[in-house]
Amino acid sequence: MAVEAPPAQPRSGLGRGTALTFAIAGALTVANIYFPQPLLDAIASGLGVSGSAAGLIATGAQVGYALGISLVVPLADVARLRRLTTALLLLTTAGLLVAAAAPNLATLTVATIALSTTTVLPQVLMPTAASMAGPAHSGRAVGMIGIGLTLGSTLSRTLSGAVVGLSGDWRTAYLVSAVLTGGLVLVVPRLLPESGGGDRSVPYRKLIGSMPKLVLAHAELRYSAFLGATVFAAFSAFWATLAFHLAGPPFDKGVAWAGLFGLFSLPAALLSYSAGRLSDQRGPLYVNTLALACVVAAFLILGVHGDDSMTALVIGSNLLVYGGSCWQVANQVRVFRLDEGVRARLNTLFMLASFTGGAVGSLTGTALHARYGWTGMILGCGGFLLLAAVGLVRGRRLG
């Protein structure tokens, strides 16, 4: 008697070349948020302002990105995607050029907020790529673009510092970024479908107003949002306090060493690509469990040996980056398996929850470190991870 072969998996509608292009586009555009951070001292000197005043640039970038996620990304559900991405890339390029020519800090800050609001292409590409790939391959698509975002946010700081070091002018970094961002206009829109799959007749006000209802309608969204916020809080607390920890005894290292940890953890970032494939094969819950185990192990190592061992800090940061990246991918895959017509809005809600968790984590981590030192910060992160573990167990039926 012949044995029937198992049904073949449907092929992905997202080619490898397209996925790689989306990942590169995500890396280049998310870099616009982070590349100015190592330039703040040079900007302060060039514009004749204090270092604390120049810090408004970093704050403006985060504020702008949050605004873009809240107010622009939902449009991907109903807008013509090719027109939307073209407009976003052109506006971001224009903002970078204004920033490069800014005569004073006020102009540079406004330009930064504006360009950060429109440089949300990665959050448009992520749900679009998941839809193009299809349910059986959405995890791989999310994982590929996630790698691009990790590399873009990590390497942008190093590369912008190198550009300024070679040119001697912080404005050159903005010009280079403008050229790279503008060049994407010639490639990315052509690879996208015409629309995001939602009802294009929905007015903008109704589009934004529909998001609270989505939170109530989808338990999987609430589950992923809670998980994302708790672990990202611990993740952000570590990175927010690392520079202070390295500056004190026994390390006595300069600020540049904190930036090097982004390079030290690149192996973990690259390995986290496996999270997408695992999410497709074993499900998001499996990847969440694996990721949380890595993050807990990271903080155990950091807590026991991280106060005096550089090796422990490097190992811990790699485990944290790997676990944190896998955790993010698994949560987004779960969210993107919901209603395809509202994926961009679901992604907006998920990212806002993660950003909120990150902000709480950064504030909590720095406050605990200032008062109780490294051990206090680690214990605070343990509290966030305990919440994540309880949430993971209680909601495991959601997958």
Side-chain angles (χ1 to χ4, degrees):
M1 180 177 177
V3 179
E4 289 187 11
Q9 286 273 19
R11 296 187 63 181
S12 172
L14 182 71
R16 289 185 179 179
T18 299
L20 180 60
T21 302
F22 286 176
I24 293 171
L28 293 177
T29 48
V30 80
N32 293 327
I33 306 298
Y34 298 102
F35 84 79
Q37 291 179 356
L39 313 182
L40 296 180
D41 186 59
I43 290 172
S45 299
L47 296 179
V49 298
S50 67
S52 59
L56 288 172
I57 304 304
T59 302
Q62 295 296 330
V63 169
Y65 198 55
L67 287 173
I69 290 173
S70 303
L71 303 177
V72 178
V73 171
L75 286 170
D77 281 335
V78 298
R80 295 182 183 273
L81 286 177
R82 295 175 185 175
R83 291 184 183 179
L84 177 63
T85 54
T86 299
L88 291 177
L89 289 168
L90 290 176
L91 288 170
T92 303
T93 302
L96 289 164
L97 292 173
V98 171
N104 52 54
L105 182 62
T107 303
L108 181 56
T109 301
V110 172
T112 298
I113 294 173
L115 73 89
S116 300
T117 301
T118 57
T119 194
V120 290
L121 181 66
Q123 303 308 328
V124 172
L125 292 178
M126 190 92 63
T128 302
S131 295
M132 293 172 66
H137 303 278
S138 60
R140 300 181 198 189
V142 172
M144 175 68 82
I145 297 177
I147 284 290
L149 300 188
T150 300
L151 294 179
S153 59
T154 300
L155 296 180
S156 60
R157 300 178 179 95
T158 305
L159 295 178
S160 66
V163 167
V164 175
L166 291 172
S167 67
D169 187 356
W170 61 268
R171 299 178 189 273
T172 307
Y174 282 90
L175 291 173
V176 170
S177 190
V179 170
L180 294 174
T181 302
L184 295 174
V185 177
L186 305 175
V187 182
V188 175
R190 298 180 181 183
L191 301 176
L192 291 168
E194 182 61 29
S195 66
D199 183 0
R200 285 167 48 191
S201 66
V202 176
Y204 180 75
R205 198 165 106 185
K206 188 174 180 180
L207 183 76
I208 300 299
S210 67
M211 289 195 288
K213 296 177 182 178
L214 294 176
V215 176
L216 298 175
H218 297 290
E220 295 88 346
L221 172 62
R222 299 193 298 273
Y223 181 48
S224 290
F226 178 79
L227 297 181
T230 48
V231 168
F232 195 53
F235 184 93
S236 300
F238 168 77
W239 289 106
T241 55
L242 179 61
F244 299 111
H245 184 53
L246 290 172
F251 302 108
D252 297 316
K253 300 294 185 182
V255 176
W257 269 85
L260 285 175
F261 268 78
L263 296 178
F264 294 158
S265 59
L266 274 182
L270 293 172
L271 286 173
S272 67
Y273 172 67
S274 62
R277 185 184 297 271
L278 281 173
S279 294
D280 288 334
Q281 296 174 345
R282 304 289 296 271
L285 180 62
Y286 175 85
V287 178
N288 274 138
T289 305
L290 172 65
L292 186 59
C294 288
V295 174
V296 170
F299 278 102
L300 286 174
I301 293 171
L302 292 169
V304 175
H305 299 292
D307 56 342
D308 58 5
S309 169
M310 186 67 74
T311 301
L313 289 178
V314 172
I315 294 173
S317 66
N318 271 274
L319 283 169
L320 181 57
V321 167
Y322 177 77
S325 298
C326 292
W327 186 263
Q328 178 90 346
V329 169
N331 289 327
Q332 286 189 291
V333 168
R334 184 183 295 107
V335 169
F336 292 155
R337 287 179 177 177
L338 302 175
D339 188 350
E340 182 175 348
V342 295
R343 274 181 176 165
R345 278 168 280 179
L346 294 173
N347 191 42
T348 289
L349 292 164
F350 171 78
M351 290 302 299
L352 286 176
S354 295
F355 260 76
T356 301
V360 170
S362 296
L363 291 171
T364 303
T366 52
L368 289 174
H369 187 271
R371 182 156 188 176
Y372 301 107
W374 182 251
T375 301
M377 186 278 293
I378 294 293
L379 290 174
C381 291
F384 289 128
L385 298 183
L386 179 60
L387 289 174
V390 171
L392 186 63
V393 171
R394 288 178 63 87
R396 62 187 182 276
R397 63 180 178 77
L398 297 173

